[in-house]
Amino acid sequence: MDAAFYQNLADRALSDGVPTDAELEKLLADPAVELLPLLNAAYAVRRAHFGKTVQVHILNNAQNGRCPEDCAYCTQAKTSEAGIEPYAMKPAEEVLAEAERAYKAGAHRYCMVFSGRGPSDKRTEQLAGLVREVKRRFPSLEVCVSAGLLDDEKAEVLADAGLDRLNHNLNTSRQRYGEICTTHTYDDRVNTLRAAQKAGLSTCSGLIVGMGEPPEEVVELALSLRELGAASIPVNFLLPFEGNVLQPPAPDAPNALTPEYCLRVLCVFRLACPRAEVRCAAGREFHLRLMEAMCLYPANSLFLDGYLNGRGAERRRTYRMIRDAGFEIVSDHNLDGLLDEVPADTDPSTVAPLTIDGQNTAIKSIEQLRPARPAEPVAK
Ligand code: SF4
């Protein structure tokens, strides 16, 4: 492809033009489209809307496992034997203590995630109370909740409490949905996003790449999320949790999640959804390997401290990567102290799983999941 091809891609995205399915598929599947000029085109769009800033998000796995749903990619599903440590909803003080830690660690947004199909009326009120309290204590911290399926009324209760954003991922294409989950449908998910938008909430919705979908389905999802107006798009790459029903393609499979393919996917999302916050989410360390920092050219957002049950890079390593690549973290805090202390990359307790063989080491320990857990009362 000549320089005009890449220039045209960037120019169209900069003027909010909609690329065609065929054009986007080419970016994923045609070897004549070269990675570096493609990243450069995506970067021109990212820079126009976000400059060199990076938003870091910290997830709080506020209720883990015991989910009656059967999402084949999820360690919390009833069908998974990944061996996570389940727990009921964390007490409010624990969630608030973790919000404070996230705020002080420079998080732009704090995401509270609750396993399960969806909250009851009572649970929705509890979530609303938590949102109110986090906003009262840390007014500049953006708050996001992911709590499963919601109807119009529940979305409104959360919006009235001051919630900024609701996360609900589409995960995969409409036609593939029945293969990865039988207990709810793609349309259930779309309806939750619509309920959130009706209540005035900003929406975060993304996908998991590596569940058997061909490039055209990745493109279909990018265009669907554009049409749905997702303000934030987490692009996850399926992690190999031993015991999960679904595993990513083998490294030597034709559809393997190579670093190059993952970067192409991120470019597709930046060019299809130019103004969205595109997040290089789960699997960043594992699948992008030595190309990890390149994700910052199409994406403007990352998770810090790993994922729901999956370990990720230690936070100082992520900060260092952002700084070394010449990007800036959006934060209320001065992070210089943290940036100066960088752990040795060989310490297995601080570095993400970087090898294909290390599958079981990818699961977070209970200490990582509950860093602010109140001490158990001493038996008398
Ligand atoms: S509904 Fe959510 S927590 Fe439950 S199995 Fe599906 S993704 Fe996992």
Side-chain angles (χ1 to χ4, degrees), residues 67-71 73-74 76-78 114-117 184 189:
C67 184
E69 303 294 291
D70 67 355
C71 308
Y73 52 84
C74 181
Q76 308 188 66
K78 65 178 180 187
F114 301 84
S115 60
R117 181 179 169 86
H184 59 263
R189 290 199 167 239

Side-chain angles (χ1 to χ4, degrees), residues 96 123-134 158 161:
L96 292 165
R123 177 53 57 89
T124 306
E125 289 297 342
Q126 272 179 309
L127 300 184
L130 272 176
V131 169
R132 255 185 230 105
E133 193 53 25
V134 174
L158 294 175

